[in-house]
Amino acid sequence: MNLIDFIHDVTWEDIPEDVREQARRCFLDTMGVAVGGRVTSLTDIIYDFVTQAYGGNQASLWMDGRTCSIPGVVLAHGMGIDALDMHDSCRPVKGHAGVAQVPAALATLGMGNGAPIDGKEFLTTLAMAYDVSIRSGTALHATACDYHTSGAWNALGTAAIVARRMGLSKEQTRHALGIAEYHGPRSQMMRCIDHPTMLKDGSGWGAMAGISAGMMASAGFTGAPAITVEAPEVAEYYADLGQRWSLMIQYFKPYAVCYWAQPAIACALSIQKQHNLSHTDIKAVRVHTFHESFRLATRFPKTTEEAQYSLPFPIAAALVHGRLDYPQIHGAALNDQTVIDLVHKVELIDDDAFNARFPADRLSRVYIDTNDGRTLDSGEMRSLWDLTAPPSNDELIDKFRNLVKPLGTERAAQLEDAVWNVHQLADVDVINQLMIDPA
């Protein structure tokens, strides 16, 4: 099956049971992060922006109620999810698909003939869009000269969603992919690592570019070919389409920081738990890690974005509080003198042994020197919840429940039931309705 046929013709019956469940897991995780991300200043700013710049009443902003166009809504929701940096990720593309595909799949429910979209079709569309995104992203990474943000390739997935929703012809779909690839934000990710700001991973812009591409193609705008789909040298990335599902290589994040920081945080918390260690017992913390993680060098963040792309600060915050949730890297917590004092004791070491194993393995090792003369060693560790030890359904549900507390008990429970059991819904728009009112 070629990619364009796959976009239009894949069905619920084509999807294996484990892939169906993984689609539900990714959907649940992304929606929890969407609610959690609403508390950020980034989301406030982008919501105000899209209501001014992308007028209309096609779709509603989550936890807000204002309306704007579908491209505007997916821009806002993609950036709002990205704001929390706690959403699902994929190693081959070093980035994120769900952050764009979930908002796009929900915002486009009314496209086409206007008939309700049931849960099985919704999850089928989501599984398809993840595959289009991850495969085109892998092809782009293999053929481009720099490391670019996720928006560069998740734009193709959102264009594919529009093509399926609107029933575009094969030729129109081909053009939609070409437009999306051309206009997808091929921005340099390491610039955001070195200078953390609200730019993040480009996913909101990718989602908007893809939605716009599909709508433009439906009106006759041309844009093919998409090199990451049609070039002969990328054919291998589509050879097992419909047999190997990209959803199955998504991993989840327990902490609201860059994934490259997560192995070292897991190391530090492991030592603390194993030795019943207080932050007051610590003389020095030495973090051996790979170069990309070493680049997360901001020591004293002034914004939550700087904290999310830091390594010393979240390690110190985790050791002070015994855990790392969003409140520890936001607002007044950034001025916590106890954490700042511990940051001074954190040393980062760019370890060639770990560099040699990146990106197949993302490993760190932490040594903690104590005031009583001990040196405690975490050993080599991966991030929690990576592909070697994914979270259970109960762990993901607990994460979701923690993130959606701002909704209140009754509404949070209704949202959890609708999202987790989405495959049983006759009309998925009930989830949009649950998300509209402010918390």
Side-chain angles (χ1 to χ4, degrees), residues 19 27 63 86 133 142 148 163 172 176 179 190-192 233 237 240 266 301 341-342 357 371 381 399 411 413 426:
V19 181
F27 183 41
M63 299 175 66
M86 209 176 183
S133 297
H148 34 268
Q172 287 174 318
I179 299 165
M190 295 310 295
R191 286 177 58 192
C192 195
E233 61 267 28
Y237 300 109
D240 55 359
D341 289 344
L342 187 54
R357 296 163 68 178
N371 292 323
M381 289 185 66
K399 174 185 171 182
R411 184 177 168 195

Side-chain angles (χ1 to χ4, degrees), residues 48-55 69:
D48 288 343
F49 168 72
V50 298
T51 56
Q52 296 170 26
Y54 293 88
S69 68

Side-chain angles (χ1 to χ4, degrees), residues 10-265:
V10 66
T11 67
W12 177 251
E13 288 70 28
D14 295 325
I15 303 175
E17 185 58 40
D18 60 338
V19 181
R20 295 175 181 177
E21 174 151 340
Q22 182 74 339
R24 292 167 58 214
R25 285 160 56 87
C26 288
F27 183 41
L28 179 87
D29 191 68
T30 305
M31 292 305 294
V33 176
V35 175
R38 184 63 187 93
V39 303
T40 64
S41 298
L42 188 161
T43 305
D44 286 338
I45 293 169
I46 197 64
Y47 273 28
D48 288 343
F49 168 72
V50 298
T51 56
Q52 296 170 26
Y54 293 88
N57 58 2
Q58 296 172 306
S60 298
L61 293 168
W62 292 335
M63 299 175 66
D64 183 274
R66 286 176 288 176
T67 62
C68 61
S69 68
I70 292 175
V73 159
V74 297
L75 169 61
H77 292 165
M79 292 190 74
I81 295 166
D82 229 2
L84 199 57
D85 208 348
M86 209 176 183
H87 42 302
D88 64 19
S89 305
C90 184
R91 184 166 296 169
V93 288
K94 297 182 284 187
H96 314 276
V99 57
Q101 308 318 314
V102 167
L106 285 170
T108 58
L109 290 174
M111 281 187 169
N113 61 15
I117 301 294
D118 67 28
K120 292 179 179 178
E121 168 59 20
F122 176 82
L123 289 179
T124 302
T125 300
L126 203 57
M128 173 276 293
Y130 267 81
D131 242 38
V132 173
S133 297
I134 298 302
R135 290 174 185 273
S136 62
T138 306
L140 184 57
H141 276 281
T143 55
C145 62
D146 62 346
Y147 170 31
H148 34 268
T149 56
S150 301
W153 44 266
N154 63 32
L156 279 81
T158 60
I161 289 173
V162 175
R164 185 177 176 98
R165 287 272 191 269
M166 298 188 73
L168 300 189
S169 70
K170 291 183 179 181
E171 188 64 15
Q172 287 174 318
T173 301
R174 181 170 176 257
H175 285 293
L177 296 175
I179 299 165
E181 183 193 74
Y182 192 86
H183 289 298
R186 199 175 294 188
S187 36
Q188 298 82 25
M189 186 65 210
M190 295 310 295
R191 286 177 58 192
C192 195
I193 299 297
D194 293 336
H195 306 284
T197 65
M198 292 182 179
L199 291 174
K200 306 303 282 282
D201 201 32
S203 296
W205 289 105
M208 180 205 46
I211 293 291
S212 301
M215 295 172 69
M216 292 164 68
S218 73
F221 198 95
T222 57
I227 298 172
T228 57
V229 175
E230 299 191 19
E233 61 267 28
V234 304
E236 62 181 288
Y237 300 109
Y238 301 92
D240 55 359
L241 194 63
Q243 302 169 37
R244 181 184 60 82
W245 293 84
S246 297
L247 272 168
M248 302 310 291
I249 54 172
Q250 306 302 307
Y251 57 81
F252 302 94
K253 297 168 68 173
Y255 312 123
V257 295
C258 176
Y259 187 71
W260 293 340
Q262 305 228 358
I265 295 168

Side-chain angles (χ1 to χ4, degrees), residues 86 254-257 317-318 321 323-330 402:
M86 209 176 183
Y255 312 123
V257 295
H321 296 284
R323 59 186 296 162
L324 188 69
D325 294 321
Y326 182 68
Q328 282 88 58
I329 56 167
H330 174 66
N402 188 47

